[in-house]
Amino acid sequence: MSAAGQGQIDFSADRLSGYLVGRVPGGGGALAIERISGGQSNPTYFVTVGATRLVLRKKPSGPILPSAHAVDREYRVLSALAGTDVPVPRPVLYEPDPAVIGTPFYLMERLEGRVFHDCALPEAAREERGPLYRAMAETMACLHAVDPATVGLADFGKAGNYFERQIARWSRQWRESSFGSVPELDALCDWLAENRPPDDGVTAIAHGDFRVGNLMFHPSEPRVIGILDWELSTLGHPLADLAFFTIAWHSRPDEYSGLLGRDLAALGIPTAADFVAAYQAKARPAGTLQPFHVAFALFRFAVIFVGIADRARAGSAAGADAAEIGHLAVNFARRALAVAEGRVGI
């Protein structure tokens, strides 16, 4: 039995090994565990038992909010989508009892493919980048085409008035923050509330964090084989996912490896408008992406960074880290307001 990066593994490999006997193929065989590095808030591990290769996701250890890090919801949405055309890893089992490894967890199949963390896709050939982006757009459309009720997810979230509820939530989080003055965020709270489109009743399974780094591609073909990290999934408006993806074109290379300022034609990467068109060509009718949707996505992203900066200042993180994260919050707030005011296109 081995556990690579044992210092990063906060549970008993022996207990997990015993638990897997009779539950997964190869259970009882040699066990290897490797922590996957990255930004996941739900700790994630490669688990190999015998010849079976799996991925384990668990709640973080220690005190957390009751509704946070809901790995049961991740497992539920993966199970619901496993029988559809939406590419997801096959769920294997969910264990709610924290007695096994200290927290609830689930296992899913380990996919073999490519994950890109830079929106410019430097690991791919230029001629492949356009098809890769088209595959991302069509995969998002495929997800949003699934009727939540037909796959048992009618109660996976609240239906309708999605943007009204989201604006209230993120505006409240901003106003309760100790971050300091950001006039652009104050202005956005008011602008979004005043310019929210009428609710059209469109509801879909929303991923909540649909971006390049949360997709796995075939090892050699320009197609998505798995949508990853469903922690923020819920019922929502499909244009929220679409707008969130367009943040790639509003982010600089030093801000989550965005595309702003890069020569898209030289890279072989489509414009945001071309990506949206590829999505709309495959999507069920969900309305037109408007400046409101992109401004909201950037506003939400800015407030997320505000929250991270607040926690960094309150915890053990260095002050410089909090300042750097805070700078990102201000940058995205300014870009959101520029979109809202029509100074920057969507």
Side-chain angles (χ1 to χ4, degrees):
M1 183 182 304
S2 67
Q6 181 67 53
Q8 298 180 13
I9 298 172
D10 59 355
F11 59 85
S12 167
D14 289 332
R15 288 188 63 84
L16 179 62
S17 180
Y19 172 85
L20 295 178
V21 175
R23 288 184 169 90
V24 301
L31 175 69
I33 306 171
E34 178 186 357
R35 176 74 180 262
I36 302 173
S37 61
Q40 305 101 333
S41 59
N42 283 338
T44 307
Y45 307 82
F46 288 143
V47 172
T48 303
V49 53
T52 302
R53 292 157 62 84
L54 302 167
V55 173
L56 182 150
R57 273 173 71 88
K58 65 186 285 291
K59 287 194 174 192
S61 301
I64 58 174
L65 295 172
S67 61
H69 306 283
V71 292
D72 56 325
R73 285 178 59 83
E74 291 187 34
Y75 186 79
R76 181 183 174 190
V77 72
L78 287 173
S79 299
L81 293 173
T84 71
D85 292 334
V86 179
V88 294
R90 180 179 58 84
V92 174
L93 64 82
Y94 170 68
E95 179 50 64
D97 188 351
V100 180
I101 63 170
T103 72
F105 69 93
Y106 72 89
L107 292 165
M108 58 184 165
E109 69 172 331
R110 178 175 171 180
L111 300 175
E112 303 297 335
R114 297 176 289 172
V115 176
F116 303 107
H117 296 288
D118 187 329
C119 296
L121 310 182
E123 302 90 344
R126 181 189 182 281
E127 61 271 15
E128 190 186 22
R129 292 173 187 151
L132 284 166
Y133 266 86
R134 186 164 55 252
M136 291 185 250
E138 293 177 353
T139 298
M140 187 192 303
C142 182
L143 168 63
H144 293 159
V146 175
D147 178 6
T150 64
V151 293
L153 294 177
D155 62 345
F156 197 60
K158 295 180 179 179
N161 297 314
Y162 176 78
F163 289 109
E164 179 180 2
R165 288 182 280 106
Q166 287 285 300
I167 291 168
R169 171 190 174 183
W170 294 105
S171 295
R172 181 173 61 253
Q173 183 163 325
W174 161 239
R175 286 169 174 147
E176 292 175 353
S177 167
S178 59
F179 184 83
S181 176
V182 183
E184 292 87 352
L185 283 177
D186 294 330
L188 282 163
C189 289
D190 296 334
W191 187 90
L192 290 167
E194 293 168 1
N195 291 272
R196 174 173 48 85
D199 182 54
D200 56 12
V202 176
T203 300
I205 301 166
H207 182 272
D209 195 14
F210 197 105
R211 55 186 172 86
V212 172
N214 278 336
L215 301 170
M216 181 172 284
F217 296 84
H218 186 276
S220 60
E221 299 174 12
R223 62 183 175 90
V224 177
I225 62 171
I227 307 173
L228 311 176
D229 198 349
W230 290 84
E231 184 178 352
L232 298 179
S233 60
T234 187
L235 297 187
H237 200 290
L239 292 181
D241 271 350
L242 180 60
F244 182 79
F245 194 94
T246 68
I247 289 178
W249 287 270
H250 294 276
S251 308
R252 296 195 311 256
D254 61 339
E255 299 168 334
Y256 282 77
S257 302
L259 299 170
L260 187 63
R262 286 173 159 166
D263 187 338
L264 299 183
L267 290 170
I269 290 175
T271 64
D274 288 337
F275 180 87
V276 170
Y279 168 85
Q280 296 287 18
K282 295 291 185 179
R284 65 186 175 98
T288 301
L289 191 72
Q290 302 174 25
F292 165 85
H293 301 108
V294 177
F296 166 75
L298 287 161
F299 166 74
R300 171 179 174 261
F301 210 36
V303 178
I304 287 172
F305 283 121
V306 164
I308 296 171
D310 284 346
R311 291 190 294 276
R313 281 194 297 270
S316 59
D321 294 335
E324 182 178 348
I325 294 166
H327 186 63
L328 287 174
V330 173
N331 284 355
F332 285 110
R334 290 173 176 169
R335 289 180 200 146
L337 193 59
V339 171
E341 294 176 346
R343 291 181 282 118
V344 173
I346 62 173

